[in-house]
């Protein structure tokens, strides 16, 4: 979550399925019609989160310190979105509102994971089937280890890849270790998974996500693909000084299964509550979702054993989600961090309590844990992130 920068382009090659790729390219021209949400009657407004004067002041000071012109918060109690707050602007002179769609970066991985889980529930894919019959990334086509990649290996971040190909000296994707062998947070793995599924199902990935997640959950202000209908509702990113980028434009037609989810606080709350209630999946698959399959307790980067008190147990990655355990309570969450955006979305499965924090700031990863500590005094996981952040970042960064 600390480095989710996206590649500027995505190399595409569907192994032995040239005609399928032609289909998908043509289908991309009509994806907008499939993905544009259907207007619905405006819901009842959500109450403002009650904050004391000291809390208001603390948040305002944090936004100024970390160059954040935009901040949105949602609070979930007992499985219900009970309050929201919007601080600042989505663009120069345009106040944030309930309709403001933030780019939430790697939080998109949770949407991708839940899409996959629902396809598994329907029997359309299997968690342990190979991806290679449907798609092989061209950089690894000559390495037979690509045949070991499966949805489960991708969702638990055991692909053997780094985050993105640009992290390799030659800019080409390669295996650092065998798939399934070790944990390594990777966005490119999620893109390979999405490409394989869309080739198998012969549908564009954004259409699959809308059919499996957004439409069933009534998420009309969330999108995997950037489209013209978003105009006027999305939060403009900022530069390193916190000033809005005056030349920013959406990349219409662009999508990334690991990054660049645009969504409102209210729609993210709908998603978290659906996960809490295991909506659309069996109890057995829901249990598999939160079973830690990549333990991070002693991981060189993410590990907290002996240095953070309390270190969660269990602690690691389930199927696409980070899983934190405290006193028998399971917290499932995903965060995101990129050039201008940072976000966290979490829900506790025993209490039904959770929160959402969206930040538009070049220092958002430094800001969101502090906001969570202000608005959710019961949570216990931010010390883990403070420990990880301190390894790599300083306030000046």
């Amino acid at each position: 979550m600390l480095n989710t920068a996206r590649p500027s382009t995505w190399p595409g090659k569907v192994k032995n399925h040239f005609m399928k790729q032609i289909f998908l390219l043509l289908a991309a021209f009509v994806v907008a019609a499939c993905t544009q949400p259907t207007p619905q009657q405006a819901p009842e407004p959500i109450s403002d989160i009650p904050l004391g004067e000291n809390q208001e002041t603390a948040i305002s000071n944090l936004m100024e310190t970390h160059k954040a012109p935009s901040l949105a918060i949602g609070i979930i109690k007992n499985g219900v979105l009970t309050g929201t707050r919007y601080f600042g602007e989505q663009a120069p002179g345009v106040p944030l509102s309930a309709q403001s769609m933030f780019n939430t970066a790697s939080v998109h991985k949770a949407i991708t994971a839940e899409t996959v889980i629902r396809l598994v529930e329907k029997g359309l894919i299997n968690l342990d089937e190979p991806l290679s019959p449907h798609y092989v990334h061209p950089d690894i086509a000559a390495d037979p280890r690509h045949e070991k990649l499966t949805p489960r290996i991708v969702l638990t971040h055991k692909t053997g890849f780094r985050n993105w190909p640009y992290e390799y000296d030659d800019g080409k994707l390669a295996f650092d270790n065998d798939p399934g062998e070790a944990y390594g947070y990777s966005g490119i793995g999620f893109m390979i998974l999405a490409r394989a599924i869309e080739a198998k199902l012969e549908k564009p990935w954004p259409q699959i996500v809308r059919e499996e997640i957004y439409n069933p959950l009534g998420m009309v202000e969330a999108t995997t693909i950037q489209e013209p209908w978003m105009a006027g509702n999305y939060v403009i990113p900022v530069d390193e000084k916190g000033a809005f980028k005056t030349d920013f434009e959406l990349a219409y037609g662009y999508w990334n299964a690991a990054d660049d989810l645009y969504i409102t606080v209210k729609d993210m709350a709908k998603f978290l509550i659906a996960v809490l209630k295991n909506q659309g999946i069996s109890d057995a698959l829901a249990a598999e979702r939160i079973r830690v399959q990549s333990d991070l307790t002693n991981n060189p980067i993410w590990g907290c054993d002996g240095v953070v008190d309390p270190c969660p147990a269990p602690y690691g990655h389930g199927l696409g989600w980070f899983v934190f355990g405290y006193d028998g309570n399971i917290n499932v969450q995903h965060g995101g961090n990129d050039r201008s955006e940072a976000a966290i979305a979490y829900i506790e499965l025993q209490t039904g309590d959770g929160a959402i924090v969206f930040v538009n700031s070049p220092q958002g990863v430094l800001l969101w844990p502090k906001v969570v500590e202000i608005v959710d005094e019961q949570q216990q996981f931010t010390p883990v992130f403070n420990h990880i952040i301190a390894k790599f970042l300083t306030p000046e960064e």
Side-chain angles (χ1 to χ4, degrees), residues 6-7 101 117 124-125 162 164 209 254 270 277 291 320 341 354 372 386-387:
R6 53 198 172 278
M101 300 172 68
I117 288 170
L124 296 175
I125 64 172
R162 300 175 196 176
W164 295 108
V209 177
Y254 170 83
K270 292 178 184 178
K277 297 179 178 179
R291 181 174 69 87
E341 55 267 15
V372 169
N386 290 330
H387 168 65

Side-chain angles (χ1 to χ4, degrees), residues 65-137:
T65 298
H66 295 295
K67 303 176 177 64
S70 328
L71 171 68
I73 306 170
I75 296 295
I76 297 171
K77 292 291 185 184
N78 195 27
V80 176
L81 178 64
T82 59
T84 57
R85 286 296 293 270
Y86 303 95
F87 297 85
E89 299 179 321
Q90 73 173 36
V94 182
L96 274 181
S97 71
Q99 286 71 49
S100 297
M101 300 172 68
F102 279 74
N103 184 340
T104 58
S106 286
V107 176
H108 208 165
K109 292 182 179 71
I111 296 285
T112 294
E114 289 301 306
T115 302
V116 173
I117 288 170
R118 280 155 180 74
L119 294 173
V120 171
E121 182 68 34
K122 292 180 177 181
L124 296 175
I125 64 172
N126 186 288
L127 281 172
D128 299 305
E129 69 174 280
L131 301 178
S132 59
H134 310 292
Y135 178 81
V136 177
H137 189 287

Side-chain angles (χ1 to χ4, degrees), residues 169-381:
D169 290 341
D170 60 1
K172 293 185 176 181
L173 183 65
F175 290 101
D176 285 337
N177 46 260
D178 290 346
E181 182 179 278
Y183 180 85
Y185 188 83
S186 178
I188 194 70
F190 276 66
M191 280 299 290
I192 290 172
L193 175 58
R195 290 295 188 189
I197 292 175
E198 68 173 2
K200 180 177 182 178
L201 301 186
E202 298 186 341
K203 289 182 181 180
W205 177 253
Q207 179 181 343
I208 295 171
V209 177
R210 184 151 296 281
E211 291 175 353
E212 298 299 329
I213 301 295
Y214 301 144
N215 287 348
L217 301 184
M219 296 169 64
V220 299
E221 295 169 325
T223 184
T224 287
I225 188 169
Q226 297 178 27
E227 293 293 346
W229 66 264
M230 300 165 59
N233 287 332
Y234 63 88
V235 177
I236 303 295
V238 297
D239 62 22
E240 66 279 359
K241 296 181 179 180
F244 288 106
K245 295 183 178 180
T246 56
D247 60 347
F248 177 78
E249 294 181 357
L250 290 176
Y252 293 144
Y254 170 83
W255 63 269
N256 185 327
D259 197 9
D260 294 322
L261 167 70
Y262 279 86
I263 191 169
T264 62
V265 168
K266 291 188 295 182
D267 269 8
M268 180 53 66
K270 292 178 184 178
F271 178 65
L272 288 176
I273 293 166
V275 171
L276 169 70
K277 297 179 178 179
N278 298 333
Q279 187 170 334
I281 66 172
S282 66
D283 290 345
L285 193 51
E288 191 67 2
R289 168 208 278 149
I290 64 171
R291 181 174 69 87
V292 170
Q293 299 172 55
S294 292
D295 189 275
L296 297 178
T297 306
N298 295 298
N299 184 272
I301 295 175
W302 301 89
C304 61
D305 189 33
V307 293
V308 176
D309 185 22
C311 182
Y315 170 46
H317 239 104
L319 294 178
W321 291 90
F322 283 89
V323 177
F324 291 68
Y326 296 99
D327 302 323
N329 191 20
I330 297 296
N331 177 304
V332 294
Q333 61 174 270
H334 213 295
N337 173 57
D338 216 330
R339 299 177 185 89
S340 176
E341 55 267 15
I344 186 69
Y346 64 90
I347 192 82
E348 296 192 342
L349 302 186
Q350 279 63 37
T351 65
D353 297 345
I356 299 155
V357 177
F358 294 162
V359 185
N360 184 27
S361 164
Q363 298 180 10
V365 71
L366 299 170
L367 175 55
W368 74 252
K370 299 171 184 176
V371 174
V372 169
E373 289 167 353
I374 291 172
V375 301
D376 186 0
E377 296 179 351
Q378 302 302 313
Q379 63 78 31
Q380 301 182 68
F381 68 86

